[in-house]
Amino acid sequence: MSPGGFASGGDVTGVHPAWLPPEAMRPIGARTVSVHGDGLDTVRAEVRQACDRHGGAVVAGGADLVLTLSGVDTGPDGFVVSRDGVVTTVAAEDPAGLLYGLFHVARVGEAAFGAPHPPGTHRPAHGRRMLDHWDNVDVHPVMGQVERGYSGGSLFWDGGALRADLTRVTAYARLLAACGVNAVTVNNVNVHATETLLLTDRLADIATIADLLRPYHIRMHLAVNFAAPVADLGTADPLDARVQAWWATATDGVYAAIPDFGGYVVKADSEGQPGPYGYGRDHADGANALAAALAPHGGVVHWRAFVYDHRQDWRDRTTDRARAAYEHFAPLDGRFLGNVIVQVKHGPIDFQVREPVSPLIAAMPATDVAVEVQVTQEYTGQQRHVCYLAPMWSEVLRTIRTAGPVGVSNAGDDPFWTGHPLAQANLYAFGRLAWAPDLDPREVLDEWIGLTFPGTPDVVGETLHAVMDDSWRTYEDYTAPLGVGFMVRPGHHYGPDVDGYEYTPWGTYHFADRDGVGVDRTCATGTGFTGQYPPVLARLYESVHDCPDELLLFFHHVPYGHVLHDGGTVIQHIYDTHFAGADAVAAMRDRWAALPADLVGPAFAARVADLLDEQVRGAAEWRDQITAYFFRKSGVRDAHGRRIP
Amino acid sequence: MSPGGFASGGDVTGVHPAWLPPEAMRPIGARTVSVHGDGLDTVRAEVRQACDRHGGAVVAGGADLVLTLSGVDTGPDGFVVSRDGVVTTVAAEDPAGLLYGLFHVARVGEAAFGAPHPPGTHRPAHGRRMLDHWDNVDVHPVMGQVERGYSGGSLFWDGGALRADLTRVTAYARLLAACGVNAVTVNNVNVHATETLLLTDRLADIATIADLLRPYHIRMHLAVNFAAPVADLGTADPLDARVQAWWATATDGVYAAIPDFGGYVVKADSEGQPGPYGYGRDHADGANALAAALAPHGGVVHWRAFVYDHRQDWRDRTTDRARAAYEHFAPLDGRFLGNVIVQVKHGPIDFQVREPVSPLIAAMPATDVAVEVQVTQEYTGQQRHVCYLAPMWSEVLRTIRTAGPVGVSNAGDDPFWTGHPLAQANLYAFGRLAWAPDLDPREVLDEWIGLTFPGTPDVVGETLHAVMDDSWRTYEDYTAPLGVGFMVRPGHHYGPDVDGYEYTPWGTYHFADRDGVGVDRTCATGTGFTGQYPPVLARLYESVHDCPDELLLFFHHVPYGHVLHDGGTVIQHIYDTHFAGADAVAAMRDRWAALPADLVGPAFAARVADLLDEQVRGAAEWRDQITAYFFRKSGVRDAHGRRIP
């Protein structure tokens, strides 16, 4: 056994194979396979490795499975699968498409070699399916190696330098390709001093990583510091010709080293990062300066819309952080160059477990908009709690058609990649929903289970579904009632502190007093945020009667006795959901404990069990703090007489 | 001008001279002085330097000032001053006494050479007057170089090693001697890995510092790790003969290097530090093991009584952290060896701006007890707010006779020594009250003003008194109402967060709900803490009617409408004191602004002015958060209609 306790077979010793254990490729490797076309080194290598392991063979003709670059018109990354009763054929128009087709066969498994079926075409909903890593090159004094990282160190960086052993980058690229991700940013959007130099002095490091991602058709992106030209020019004014020339030269250098480089990611004028406002310019000016440098090379700028006043006066109830992204960006619609993508967090605040969709996403019809979701569980249990996020993302992604989602990665050098082994499913699901937003989250979980635990008895899948399917709503139940968020410990954001952000400059308040709770964001009496939505939604959210219960306190300040659509009061709902949520976590732990450990591997089973203990403790703490807080404020007793501390 | 902006004359370039500017020694240096006796190198050097600067002369006889080691019986450190109309004579029985006498003459100034007076004897109330430095050798990842340090880096250590330039240690020793301190611990009571080795491998560093302190009659003490023997023996069981031998050998080594070494300071079984409980022993066993090793050399152990459960369940209202020190230590009275000093924080919790005196101090008649006060302003404005602490210490020290106070030092490598220039007065006052607890805090401030700003117009002293005299009560007014504490931001402890510690394991609660606030610590209905006091105090605190208002919420949970001795309600008192406190700070700023900067030096004036801006901001923030919090909870409006956010 390796140090991590895993049987051999994963690609990296001591590291869990995630959703690509050797057995996952058996449906391919146990057969005869022929591969036709050029530029298919990765596909051929995958097939050869699978056949070597599982007794199949790579053949020139007469194969069970034919993988071919020809005769189809799928568009980039797409593929066509057909079966004539004897042969399964996967055809694509580019090598990436054929690689995705190959992993599709692994996902479908033996069923891909069953009944005949006519050609079925698979095309990604989005051409770019990107993960952003918030990895620092240097260890940051507060944020460490990975900002909001709950999975150990960075896969790329180690204390100021590129990791000596980059084997896991290749394994990671393979995992990402198998779920559909094709773009990766390898450094934190908060670009500190060392990381600023990646663009110039340390380009060789970036090129080394790009070389490892390329075989899996993943393009390298880079988070850059808007102020990078200052060191040379004393200014970063985006309308200054010298600054524009600086970006052009720097970008030429990047493409000389990495011809298929994807582009830049920028966090500007946000939480202390420099930006165009410092020069009296706006975000279109800023984004366009970088976009112009990238355009000749086919690169793009992801320009984040996460811009707000993080030094707000909590006494001022008229300012509303929820309004900020829209106010800063909506007026700029139409002014961005064609290769600018405005990257918008899915909700108007900041990755809370429950938020309405950001109104900005619908407010820029003339701009490419990417929706950003947080795969890393900053506000959803920090990979110590089970919280399968696909149902949340699905609600956003299936209803909105944008330039392509961006996920903040949850992977690190942890032996299980993601700290909590079950958080692997979030990474997998992000890729799959980026490819096909209409997928049912339960189906995606089925896929993940089938690949990760091929050939195991039904009890494995049943247990995982029981533990994971509703885990997002369970997390919501024991943490954030009715759309109120940010009742977390300031700084690290783990565990409850109802007033932790209430009297701070961060713009994240609940306004609970002895009479009621919630933020009045209506146009009639509140901050006017509802007015940023298209009329149908604006009317829905504006009305305290029609507003969906789960968003009630996000949009309205109501008395504790306010009656919800189910007939119960707000205060009783707070009590009921918190007791129910904590009970559900206890049930999750019991369910997991009943699963024989050898079915998922002893190390996997033990890590999940340990973390469920922490989740049971944490859920009880959330329940007790929230119920105690609101009981002390409201004075209303629980209708069921349960103990509130 | 030096980089710090100070005129030359201080002992260290670029560093403010604090209470020993050259002019402070003019009353001595402008005269003829004779010095008689052996071992007076430091006294002679001080006199020579003063005379060189101010035109006087060192003479063999016929002097204005005679300093002599003879003919008196003062006890250690004491001195006798007399004047016959022509000659002022200072006599002492040991060199330390004569040095203190010399600084006494500087403090008294020209008046020491005025009217004749018979011999007046000056003896310190306490033989040991000690400062503990919470300085780390290594930079600690959370606490930095100095734990709870608000004055820059350590005077002794710099990033893992002894500082290259130790000039300031000599200057610091001189300042301490001039206020009466004669013992210093040079490392943090939280003894981390590197610091554990000071006792053994890095003894040379300690000896180097001791050599610099010795000329000023300051003895070196060392904070040691109770578990230090574990590395060699695998155990630190204090009853294990091998452990006892280990301490004896280590201590012999210390005394071989530092013959006048003072002893050890130990924080054991506290906030994660190891201790005797880990071996099933008690604190008498632990302290005695170290004391036995020190006894042959005349050294002492300061054994801290700051022992409590820092993983308390906030839901459990029966556990009371205030009871902890008494419960752990009172039963051990009589069991400690004669060279053990139990070091007790002045209040039962932890250095809050208002606490009752710890009942443990009166509960160990057969034990030497030292009272520990926090000169460093962790909970009193962190040397960004003016808070002259002598009035608080005076209340404790003048009523209790113990083995000698210990202060946690507020000094660092800041150009002003203490961050806030006015916090120098706290360091000075600690030394003076340790020597003479009955001194009036205003007189001590007068002394500090006279030494620090000799010869300046009255407006300097008037301004400093106006800003500082009541600053402790002002700080109390705008922060902690009626004895409730710990409404601070967790972690750094700067600024308000009313519920910051309310639902945590730290045992520091206020139990505010919509009806009332405070901790019931009575015997009748509460935690029984009042029963730890002697009967007179126990009865006083037990009674909600007799309990002093300023401690009401420390001992009682009362409704917001509870009427205080002045006829006002608790809630209105909260409002009134917070508005008044913030107004008082604004007045302090105005007063300071009216003082011509050149009278105290432009750098000094500017630093104080900048910090008063921050204090005005901070006091308004405290006022607004506390009033808003209690208004939201109580629903009671301010009787004067002032704005509560």
Side-chain angles (χ1 to χ4, degrees):
Chain A
M1 295 289 278
S2 65
F6 305 111
S8 64
D11 284 311
V12 186
T13 305
V15 174
H16 187 265
W19 52 87
L20 287 180
E23 280 301 304
M25 299 300 278
R26 175 179 291 279
I28 295 154
R31 290 188 158 75
T32 54
V33 186
S34 64
V35 182
H36 306 279
D38 295 330
L40 298 176
D41 290 352
T42 304
V43 169
R44 289 180 206 277
E46 286 286 340
V47 169
R48 194 174 309 114
Q49 183 185 43
C51 289
D52 287 350
R53 277 175 168 156
H54 300 294
V58 183
V59 296
D64 303 322
L65 174 63
V66 175
L67 302 163
T68 180
L69 265 195
S70 71
V72 291
D73 178 20
T74 56
D77 298 352
F79 56 91
V80 176
V81 185
S82 59
R83 176 151 181 89
D84 64 8
V86 177
V87 177
T88 297
T89 300
V90 180
E93 82 174 55
D94 59 22
L98 210 58
L99 183 66
Y100 294 126
L102 176 73
F103 286 124
H104 169 87
V105 174
R107 202 155 51 224
V108 174
E110 288 303 320
F113 302 93
H117 63 76
T121 301
H122 299 259
R123 292 190 180 92
H126 303 292
R128 189 176 301 99
R129 306 167 298 275
M130 186 154 98
L131 281 174
D132 284 359
H133 277 261
W134 287 356
D135 296 12
N136 298 310
V137 177
D138 269 334
V139 174
H140 187 271
V142 175
M143 289 300 175
Q145 185 85 60
V146 181
E147 181 165 335
R148 307 306 179 187
Y150 314 106
S151 311
S154 170
L155 293 165
F156 308 111
W157 313 103
D158 186 15
L162 206 59
R163 291 186 78 97
D165 178 359
L166 291 167
T167 316
R168 287 191 71 170
V169 174
T170 296
Y172 184 56
R174 185 171 175 254
L175 287 168
L176 297 188
C179 66
V181 169
N182 70 346
V184 166
T185 304
V186 294
N187 65 309
N188 189 357
V189 289
N190 291 314
V191 185
H192 310 293
T194 299
E195 294 76 7
T196 297
L197 300 177
L198 290 176
L199 177 65
T200 49
D201 307 45
R202 299 186 59 173
L203 208 42
D205 288 352
I206 299 296
T208 298
I209 302 174
D211 289 344
L212 297 172
L213 300 177
R214 190 173 296 110
Y216 292 94
H217 304 287
I218 295 169
R219 292 174 81 174
M220 153 76 67
H221 295 242
L222 193 63
V224 298
N225 181 345
F226 182 81
V230 170
D232 292 332
L233 305 178
T235 179
D237 182 350
L239 298 193
D240 185 319
R242 294 170 303 151
V243 171
Q244 294 165 355
W246 190 97
W247 282 109
T249 303
T251 306
D252 291 348
V254 174
Y255 278 90
I258 310 167
D260 59 350
F261 180 74
Y264 300 141
V265 178
V266 186
K267 175 178 180 178
D269 288 317
S270 172
E271 298 181 337
Q273 293 290 306
Y277 288 158
Y279 301 94
R281 314 302 183 188
D282 63 27
H283 284 275
D285 297 328
N288 289 345
L290 277 65
L294 287 158
H297 305 283
V300 297
V301 178
H302 282 79
W303 190 271
R304 294 177 89 229
F306 184 57
V307 178
Y308 71 100
D309 178 6
H310 69 289
R311 298 203 177 96
Q312 182 178 333
D313 187 344
W314 60 268
R315 303 163 187 83
D316 166 20
R317 289 212 186 186
T318 62
T319 302
D320 182 359
R321 172 170 165 179
R323 296 177 56 106
Y326 182 103
E327 288 177 341
H328 287 284
F329 282 86
L332 304 179
D333 189 37
R335 287 205 29 230
F336 292 99
L337 292 180
N339 61 331
V340 172
I341 298 160
V342 174
Q343 183 168 324
V344 183
K345 291 194 182 195
H346 68 84
I349 304 280
D350 191 9
F351 296 142
Q352 300 304 288
V353 66
R354 174 70 70 178
E355 294 188 44
V357 69
S358 169
L360 180 59
I361 295 170
M364 303 190 79
T367 307
D368 275 343
V369 170
V371 175
E372 182 179 314
V373 299
Q374 200 178 34
V375 187
T376 196
Q377 291 173 237
E378 178 179 0
Y379 293 103
T380 51
Q382 303 202 349
Q383 282 134 263
R384 284 180 265 181
H385 294 214
V386 180
C387 187
Y388 178 53
L389 291 164
M392 174 167 81
W393 302 333
S394 172
E395 286 188 7
V396 179
L397 298 178
R398 71 167 59 204
T399 57
I400 293 164
R401 293 297 176 226
T402 64
V406 176
V408 182
S409 179
N410 65 349
D413 75 351
D414 171 70
F416 290 98
W417 299 92
T418 51
H420 203 305
L422 303 187
Q424 289 177 4
N426 284 331
L427 187 58
Y428 179 85
F430 169 76
R432 292 293 292 143
L433 292 178
W435 178 288
D438 291 325
L439 282 173
D440 181 333
R442 287 170 205 249
E443 282 175 37
V444 175
L445 191 56
D446 267 336
E447 291 178 10
W448 176 75
I449 294 167
L451 285 166
T452 305
F453 304 107
T456 50
D458 289 349
V459 65
V460 171
E462 290 161 4
T463 301
L464 287 164
H465 275 287
V467 168
M468 297 172 72
D469 275 346
D470 296 327
S471 55
W472 165 54
R473 284 187 178 273
T474 296
Y475 190 85
E476 182 185 18
D477 278 346
Y478 64 77
T479 59
L482 298 164
V484 124
F486 261 102
M487 303 192 302
V488 293
R489 280 271 145 196
H492 58 62
H493 298 165
Y494 185 74
D497 182 355
V498 182
D499 271 1
Y501 277 101
E502 189 61 14
Y503 302 94
T504 75
W506 294 96
T508 49
Y509 314 120
H510 54 66
F511 298 126
D513 61 21
R514 75 200 312 265
D515 301 315
V517 57
V519 187
D520 184 350
R521 293 192 159 105
T522 64
C523 291
T525 56
T527 69
F529 170 67
T530 57
Q532 291 184 347
Y533 284 92
V536 171
L537 276 179
R539 276 193 298 274
L540 182 72
Y541 294 147
E542 178 78 10
S543 162
V544 71
H545 302 295
D546 298 336
C547 182
D549 286 345
E550 70 269 19
L551 290 171
L552 179 68
L553 301 183
F554 192 94
F555 286 107
H556 299 274
H557 185 92
V558 300
Y560 291 114
H562 176 91
V563 177
L564 300 171
H565 292 107
D566 69 1
T569 63
V570 164
I571 187 70
Q572 192 58 42
H573 178 91
I574 291 173
Y575 297 153
D576 288 348
T577 50
H578 284 80
F579 280 100
D583 289 349
V585 174
M588 286 157 64
R589 177 169 68 176
D590 291 346
R591 184 72 187 238
W592 187 258
L595 182 71
D598 60 334
L599 294 183
V600 294
F604 192 103
R607 173 80 75 98
V608 173
D610 286 349
L611 290 167
L612 280 167
D613 286 345
E614 165 61 11
Q615 189 171 0
V616 167
R617 185 207 64 75
E621 183 69 26
W622 273 97
R623 175 198 64 207
D624 288 345
Q625 282 202 34
I626 301 264
T627 56
Y629 179 95
F630 283 103
F631 174 66
R632 288 196 197 178
K633 274 241 157 95
S634 71
V636 178
R637 296 187 183 280
D638 173 40
H640 307 296
R642 290 164 293 197
R643 179 175 176 271
I644 293 177
Chain B
M1 295 293 277
S2 64
F6 306 110
S8 64
D11 285 311
V12 186
T13 306
V15 173
H16 188 265
W19 52 87
L20 287 180
E23 280 301 303
M25 299 300 276
R26 175 179 291 278
I28 294 155
R31 290 188 158 75
T32 53
V33 187
S34 64
V35 182
H36 307 279
D38 295 330
L40 298 175
D41 289 353
T42 304
V43 169
R44 289 180 206 279
E46 286 287 340
V47 169
R48 193 175 308 114
Q49 183 186 41
C51 290
D52 287 350
R53 277 174 169 156
H54 300 294
V58 183
V59 296
D64 302 322
L65 175 63
V66 175
L67 303 164
T68 180
L69 263 194
S70 70
V72 292
D73 178 23
T74 56
D77 298 353
F79 57 91
V80 175
V81 185
S82 58
R83 178 154 178 86
D84 64 8
V86 178
V87 178
T88 297
T89 301
V90 180
E93 80 174 57
D94 61 21
L98 210 58
L99 183 66
Y100 294 125
L102 176 73
F103 285 124
H104 170 86
V105 173
R107 200 155 52 224
V108 174
E110 289 303 319
F113 302 92
H117 63 78
T121 302
H122 300 258
R123 292 190 179 93
H126 303 291
R128 189 177 299 99
R129 305 167 299 274
M130 186 155 100
L131 282 174
D132 285 359
H133 277 261
W134 286 355
D135 295 13
N136 298 310
V137 178
D138 269 334
V139 175
H140 187 269
V142 175
M143 289 299 175
Q145 184 85 63
V146 181
E147 180 165 335
R148 308 306 181 188
Y150 315 106
S151 311
S154 169
L155 292 165
F156 310 110
W157 313 104
D158 186 13
L162 206 57
R163 291 186 78 96
D165 179 359
L166 292 168
T167 316
R168 286 190 72 172
V169 173
T170 295
Y172 184 56
R174 185 170 174 253
L175 288 168
L176 297 188
C179 67
V181 169
N182 70 347
V184 165
T185 304
V186 294
N187 66 308
N188 188 358
V189 291
N190 291 313
V191 185
H192 310 293
T194 298
E195 293 76 6
T196 297
L197 300 177
L198 290 176
L199 177 65
T200 50
D201 306 45
R202 298 186 60 172
L203 209 42
D205 289 352
I206 298 296
T208 298
I209 301 174
D211 289 345
L212 297 172
L213 300 178
R214 190 173 297 112
Y216 291 93
H217 304 288
I218 294 169
R219 292 174 81 175
M220 152 77 66
H221 294 242
L222 192 64
V224 298
N225 181 345
F226 182 81
V230 170
D232 292 331
L233 305 178
T235 179
D237 181 350
L239 298 192
D240 185 317
R242 294 170 304 151
V243 171
Q244 293 166 357
W246 189 97
W247 282 109
T249 302
T251 305
D252 291 348
V254 173
Y255 278 90
I258 310 168
D260 59 350
F261 180 73
Y264 299 141
V265 178
V266 186
K267 176 178 178 177
D269 288 317
S270 173
E271 297 180 338
Q273 293 292 305
Y277 288 158
Y279 301 94
R281 313 304 181 185
D282 63 28
H283 284 275
D285 298 328
N288 290 344
L290 277 65
L294 287 158
H297 305 283
V300 297
V301 177
H302 282 79
W303 190 271
R304 293 177 90 229
F306 184 57
V307 177
Y308 69 100
D309 178 5
H310 70 290
R311 298 202 178 94
Q312 182 178 335
D313 187 343
W314 60 267
R315 303 163 187 82
D316 166 21
R317 289 214 187 184
T318 63
T319 302
D320 181 0
R321 172 170 165 180
R323 296 176 55 106
Y326 183 103
E327 288 177 341
H328 287 284
F329 282 86
L332 303 179
D333 188 38
R335 285 204 34 229
F336 292 98
L337 292 180
N339 62 330
V340 173
I341 298 160
V342 174
Q343 182 169 325
V344 183
K345 291 195 182 194
H346 69 86
I349 304 283
D350 191 9
F351 295 142
Q352 300 304 288
V353 68
R354 175 70 70 178
E355 295 189 42
V357 68
S358 168
L360 179 59
I361 295 170
M364 303 189 80
T367 307
D368 275 343
V369 171
V371 175
E372 182 179 314
V373 300
Q374 201 178 35
V375 187
T376 195
Q377 294 173 236
E378 178 180 1
Y379 293 103
T380 51
Q382 303 201 348
Q383 283 134 263
R384 284 182 265 180
H385 294 215
V386 180
C387 188
Y388 177 53
L389 291 165
M392 174 167 82
W393 302 333
S394 173
E395 287 189 7
V396 179
L397 298 179
R398 72 166 59 204
T399 56
I400 293 163
R401 294 297 176 226
T402 64
V406 176
V408 182
S409 180
N410 65 349
D413 75 351
D414 172 68
F416 291 98
W417 298 92
T418 51
H420 203 305
L422 302 187
Q424 290 177 5
N426 284 330
L427 187 59
Y428 179 84
F430 169 76
R432 293 293 291 144
L433 292 178
W435 177 288
D438 290 326
L439 282 173
D440 181 332
R442 287 172 206 246
E443 281 175 38
V444 175
L445 191 56
D446 268 335
E447 291 178 9
W448 175 75
I449 294 166
L451 287 166
T452 306
F453 305 107
T456 49
D458 289 349
V459 66
V460 172
E462 290 161 6
T463 301
L464 287 164
H465 275 286
V467 168
M468 297 172 72
D469 276 344
D470 296 328
S471 56
W472 164 54
R473 283 187 179 274
T474 296
Y475 190 85
E476 181 184 19
D477 277 348
Y478 64 77
T479 59
L482 299 165
V484 122
F486 261 102
M487 302 192 304
V488 293
R489 280 272 146 195
H492 59 60
H493 298 165
Y494 186 72
D497 183 354
V498 183
D499 272 0
Y501 277 101
E502 189 60 15
Y503 302 94
T504 73
W506 294 95
T508 49
Y509 315 120
H510 53 66
F511 298 125
D513 61 22
R514 76 200 313 265
D515 301 315
V517 57
V519 186
D520 185 352
R521 293 192 160 106
T522 63
C523 291
T525 55
T527 69
F529 170 67
T530 56
Q532 291 184 347
Y533 283 93
V536 171
L537 277 178
R539 277 193 298 272
L540 182 73
Y541 295 147
E542 178 79 9
S543 162
V544 71
H545 302 296
D546 298 335
C547 184
D549 285 347
E550 70 269 19
L551 291 170
L552 179 68
L553 302 183
F554 192 95
F555 286 107
H556 299 275
H557 185 91
V558 300
Y560 291 115
H562 176 90
V563 177
L564 300 171
H565 292 107
D566 68 0
T569 62
V570 164
I571 187 70
Q572 191 58 41
H573 177 91
I574 291 174
Y575 297 153
D576 288 347
T577 51
H578 284 79
F579 280 100
D583 290 348
V585 174
M588 286 156 63
R589 177 169 67 175
D590 292 346
R591 185 73 186 240
W592 187 258
L595 181 71
D598 59 335
L599 295 182
V600 295
F604 192 104
R607 173 80 74 95
V608 173
D610 287 349
L611 289 168
L612 280 166
D613 286 346
E614 165 61 10
Q615 189 171 0
V616 167
R617 185 207 64 75
E621 183 70 26
W622 273 98
R623 175 199 64 206
D624 288 345
Q625 283 202 33
I626 301 265
T627 55
Y629 178 96
F630 284 103
F631 174 67
R632 288 196 197 178
K633 273 241 157 98
S634 71
V636 178
R637 296 188 182 278
D638 172 39
H640 308 296
R642 290 164 293 199
R643 179 174 176 271
I644 293 175

